[in-house]
Amino acid sequence: MIHNSIQTFIHATEAFDQPEKDIVAHLDKMHAWHQQLARNLNDQRLNSHGLTSESSIALDIATLNAQLDRYLNHWETQLDTLHAAQSIADHFDDKIILLIFGKFNAGKSSLCNVLAECFHRHQQSVEYFYLEDGEIVESQDRFKEGATETTTRLQGVCLGKNLILLDTPGLHSVTPENADLTQRFLDSADGVLWLSSSSSPGQVKELAALGQELRRHKPLLPVITRSDYFEEDEVDGEICQILCNKSPGQRHLQENDVHTRAMDQLIEMHVDPSLLQSPISTSSQMLKNADFNDQAMQSAGFDRLFNALMHLIQPALAYKQRKPAEALLHHLQEQILMPLQVEIVPQLHQLQQNLNHASDTLVQSKEQIMTQTWRGMIATLPSLLEQFAEQQAVDELYNTLTQQAEQFLSQQISDTLVDYQLQSLPFKPLKFAKHLSYEVIYADDTKEILAIGHDRLYTEISQSLWQKLDVHTDEVISQCQKTLSNIQIQIEVIQQGLSHDEQTLQQIAHCLRIKD
C-alpha cells in the first residue's frame, strides 16, 4: 500500500502534461493597466493654487507629489526583483516547484532529505543544488540538518523528472539576509508546503506571513513535523528514552486545530480559503529510525503525505501554466498598487482632515477679521464724526470711513489668512440711510447754531457697519473655501481613481484564474 502511494505520486509527477495557456491577452491587460495608472498619477497631481507655498497644506501637497515622483521613477527598477525570481523559474520551466516554507527549526531540510530518500529508493533521480550569486550550482551533498538555522542560502533538490523542492532560509531566520533571500524567490514556486513543528504548530505569525503567498493564489499544504514524543522504557534493566509516534488521535486534534485557525486567519485576511489543503502530521526521525520500512512509512504519516502531495499537483500545475502572468500580477499588486494604498491613500485621508480643519478655522477667522476691524473703526468713529460736524459733510465722512475700512480689513486679512493667496476685493463704498444727517440745534427763533449732534449717526453707523463688514468678509472667506474645496475635489478624483484601479486589477486577476 505504501509503495503504491509513493509510486502513484511519482507517476503523477512524471505524467503531468502542461498544455500551453494563452496568457498574452492577460499580460497585455496588465501592461495597459500599469501604463494607465502612471498616466493618471501624472495627470491628476494635486495643485495648491490659492495657497501660499509656505502654508502647511501646500507643503503637504508638495511632499505627496514628490513621493509620487519617486514612485514613478522607481517602478521600472523594481522589475529587477521580478526578473530575479523569474530566472530560477525559467531554469526549471518544465518542472513543478514546491516551496518548503516555515520558521527555522521547523524541520524543512530534514523533510526534503526524507522525500529525496524515498525517491532514491524507488530508482528515481535525486539532484541537489544551491543558489550562489544568482547561479544554480549542483551539489552532491544532502541538506544539512540541525537544531539551529543551517540553511543560509536558497537550496533545492530535483526529485525524479518533474519535481523541485526549494528549501528556503527560515521564515523567522536568525539573519536578515536569509529572510530577504526567501522573499526574493517566493514567486518562483508553484505551490507551498508550510512546515511547523508539532510542539507549536500553525503559529499566527506564520499564517500572517504566508498570507501574501496565498493571495498570490498558490495552493498550500500545511505539514506538521516532528509529530513524535519521547517515553521512558526499560532496556536491559536501565531506564531510557524511546522516540514514539504521536497517536492518530493526537495528530487528528492538532491537524484540526491548525486547519481551523488557518481558515479563520485566511478569511480575516480576505484570502480564498479553498487554497488551503488539510494538514498532515509526519515524523521524519521515526521514518529514518525504521529505515523507511512500510510500517514506518504509514505510522510516521508519509503515506498520507504522498497522497496529499498528489492532490497538490493539479492546482500547482494550474498556477505554473499562468505563472508569467501571475508574476507580473504580483508585481503590480505588491510593488505598484500596495505602496499607493499603504502610504499615499492615508496621506490623502490626512490631507482631507487638514482641509476640513482649515475650513472650520475659516469661520473663526472671519469672526476675528470682522471683530478687529469693527472695533478699530468704532474706536475712531467719534473723532471722525467731530471732524466733519462743522460742515455736516456726511459724504466725506462716508468716504473716510470707507478708506479706513479698507485699511483695517487689508491688515486683518493679511494677518489672519496668511496661508491664502487672495484676489483683491475692493470694499464697497459705505452708504447708510439717506435720511441720516448731523443733528443741528438752533437758538430759539434764530438761525444761530448752538450745537451739532451726531448720536443718531453714531448709532446707525455702528450698527450697520457690522452687516457691511460681514458681506465683504464673506466674499473673502468664500475665496478661501473655494481653494480648499478645489483641493478636496482633486483628492477625491485620485481616491476614486485608485479605487477603480484596484477593482480593475482584481477583475484582471479573476479573469486570469477563472478556469482554475
Side-chain angles (χ1 to χ4, degrees):
M1 175 181 174
I2 306 303
H3 284 284
N4 286 340
S5 67
I6 299 175
Q7 290 169 350
T8 300
F9 175 68
I10 291 173
H11 177 73
T13 63
E14 290 179 339
F16 79 80
D17 55 352
Q18 189 174 340
E20 291 190 8
K21 182 172 182 176
D22 184 11
I23 61 171
V24 175
H26 299 289
L27 291 170
D28 288 344
K29 288 181 181 179
M30 292 181 209
H31 286 301
W33 179 91
H34 188 192
Q35 293 167 1
Q36 186 62 51
L37 175 63
R39 283 195 296 268
N40 290 345
L41 292 178
N42 270 319
D43 296 343
Q44 297 170 357
R45 291 301 178 87
L46 295 178
N47 68 71
S48 56
H49 297 333
L51 295 175
T52 61
S53 59
E54 297 82 10
S55 69
S56 60
I57 292 177
L59 292 174
D60 289 341
I61 289 175
T63 299
L64 191 144
N65 284 337
Q67 189 168 357
L68 286 175
D69 283 333
R70 289 193 295 272
Y71 281 149
L72 292 171
N73 292 334
H74 286 90
W75 277 356
E76 293 304 321
T77 60
Q78 289 171 340
L79 287 172
D80 293 342
T81 302
L82 175 64
H83 295 152
Q86 191 62 40
S87 64
I88 191 170
D90 291 342
H91 186 87
F92 298 124
D93 185 56
D94 59 342
K95 301 180 182 351
I96 293 178
I97 303 174
L98 298 181
L99 188 70
I100 311 300
F101 204 62
K103 68 179 182 180
F104 71 89
N105 206 27
K108 300 185 297 297
S109 298
S110 178
L111 181 69
C112 288
N113 286 335
V114 165
L115 294 178
E117 181 64 18
C118 289
F119 267 67
H120 175 70
R121 292 185 179 223
H122 284 78
Q123 291 76 51
Q124 298 296 309
S125 62
V126 175
E127 299 176 359
Y128 287 91
F129 63 90
Y130 59 89
L131 195 74
E132 187 171 75
D133 297 328
E135 298 293 331
I136 295 172
V137 181
E138 294 183 0
S139 172
Q140 300 300 317
D141 300 326
R142 292 159 56 89
F143 296 159
K144 293 181 180 179
E145 303 176 24
T148 59
E149 181 68 40
T150 57
T151 308
T152 58
R153 61 191 178 190
L154 188 105
Q155 57 188 4
V157 58
C158 301
L159 303 180
K161 296 179 180 179
N162 296 318
L163 182 62
I164 300 290
L165 302 180
L166 286 180
D167 180 20
T168 67
L171 175 61
H172 301 292
S173 177
V174 292
T175 61
E177 291 79 9
N178 286 359
D180 291 343
L181 188 62
T182 300
Q183 187 63 40
R184 183 182 177 191
F185 287 95
L186 287 177
D187 269 340
S188 67
D190 306 307
V192 182
L193 269 64
W194 166 37
L195 273 59
S196 59
S197 172
S198 67
S199 61
S200 57
Q203 294 299 301
V204 173
K205 289 184 179 180
E206 296 177 43
L207 295 175
L210 285 169
Q212 180 169 275
E213 282 308 294
L214 291 176
R215 289 189 187 93
R216 295 173 173 186
H217 225 74
K218 297 180 183 181
L220 181 136
L221 172 63
V223 179
I224 302 174
T225 61
R226 296 180 179 146
S227 185
D228 45 43
Y229 69 100
F230 283 98
E231 70 174 10
E232 291 186 348
D233 197 2
E234 184 178 344
V235 178
D236 297 331
E238 294 184 3
I239 300 298
C240 58
Q241 298 286 326
I242 303 297
L243 187 67
C244 303
N245 284 305
K246 286 187 175 180
S247 69
Q250 290 174 316
R251 289 178 171 177
H252 181 71
L253 287 174
Q254 283 199 323
E255 290 168 0
N256 281 348
D257 174 62
V258 170
H259 189 266
T260 299
R261 288 189 293 109
M263 292 286 284
D264 291 343
Q265 182 69 20
L266 296 179
I267 291 172
E268 182 180 333
M269 295 187 298
H270 306 288
V271 172
D272 184 358
S274 67
L275 298 170
L276 185 68
Q277 311 253 341
S278 297
I280 302 294
S281 298
T282 64
S283 173
S284 297
Q285 191 60 47
M286 286 297 296
L287 183 61
K288 290 187 286 187
N289 289 351
D291 195 28
F292 293 79
N293 66 48
D294 284 358
Q295 183 178 354
M297 291 285 285
Q298 184 171 14
S299 61
F302 280 84
D303 178 33
R304 294 177 63 223
L305 177 61
F306 279 113
N307 285 330
L309 288 172
M310 189 163 57
H311 286 94
L312 192 70
I313 291 296
Q314 284 307 313
L317 179 58
Y319 178 88
K320 184 177 188 65
Q321 291 168 348
R322 62 176 193 271
K323 184 185 293 185
E326 286 282 1
L328 179 57
L329 178 63
H330 307 159
H331 174 74
L332 297 178
Q333 290 174 328
E334 298 159 16
Q335 302 300 323
I336 304 300
L337 187 59
M338 187 178 295
L340 295 174
Q341 295 171 325
V342 171
E343 299 180 22
I344 299 300
V345 171
Q347 289 183 52
L348 291 172
H349 180 67
Q350 182 61 51
L351 189 54
Q352 284 180 311
Q353 291 182 322
N354 295 343
L355 289 167
N356 290 335
H357 177 71
S359 181
D360 293 339
T361 302
L362 286 175
V363 177
Q364 303 171 4
S365 299
K366 177 184 176 181
E367 184 75 17
Q368 180 178 342
I369 292 169
M370 290 175 58
T371 299
Q372 294 301 321
T373 301
W374 186 85
R375 287 176 178 173
M377 293 183 67
I378 291 302
T380 61
L381 182 57
S383 62
L384 286 178
L385 289 169
E386 286 293 337
Q387 178 182 339
F388 294 101
E390 186 176 350
Q391 288 80 26
Q392 302 178 44
V394 175
D395 289 340
E396 285 80 357
L397 171 66
Y398 292 167
N399 290 338
T400 302
L401 284 172
T402 299
Q403 294 172 8
Q404 189 181 63
E406 288 179 335
Q407 292 172 359
F408 273 110
L409 283 169
S410 177
Q411 186 62 48
Q412 288 299 319
I413 290 171
S414 177
D415 292 345
T416 306
L417 303 177
V418 293
D419 289 340
Y420 300 88
Q421 292 180 331
L422 298 169
Q423 296 179 354
S424 177
L425 292 177
F427 189 72
K428 295 180 180 178
L430 289 173
K431 297 290 184 182
F432 300 96
K434 293 182 179 180
H435 68 272
L436 275 181
S437 63
Y438 282 92
E439 303 160 33
V440 181
I441 301 174
Y442 295 96
D444 292 339
D445 300 327
T446 70
K447 295 184 179 181
E448 179 183 357
I449 298 176
L450 295 179
I452 299 177
H454 43 65
D455 290 346
R456 286 184 298 179
L457 270 172
Y458 181 90
T459 301
E460 178 67 22
I461 291 174
S462 61
Q463 292 177 352
S464 301
L465 180 60
W466 182 266
Q467 298 175 350
K468 296 182 182 299
L469 291 175
D470 181 66
V471 172
H472 182 81
T473 53
D474 192 57
E475 294 178 357
V476 174
I477 295 301
S478 293
Q479 277 194 57
C480 301
Q481 292 284 14
K482 185 176 181 180
T483 294
L484 300 180
S485 296
N486 287 338
I487 299 174
Q488 285 276 21
I489 292 172
Q490 295 174 51
I491 292 175
E492 291 171 3
V493 169
I494 295 177
Q495 289 173 325
Q496 292 170 3
L498 290 176
S499 177
H500 177 266
D501 293 333
E502 180 182 6
Q503 294 173 8
T504 301
L505 194 59
Q506 289 175 349
Q507 183 62 32
I508 292 173
H510 175 73
C511 292
L512 176 64
R513 301 162 177 164
I514 196 169
K515 293 183 180 180
D516 290 358

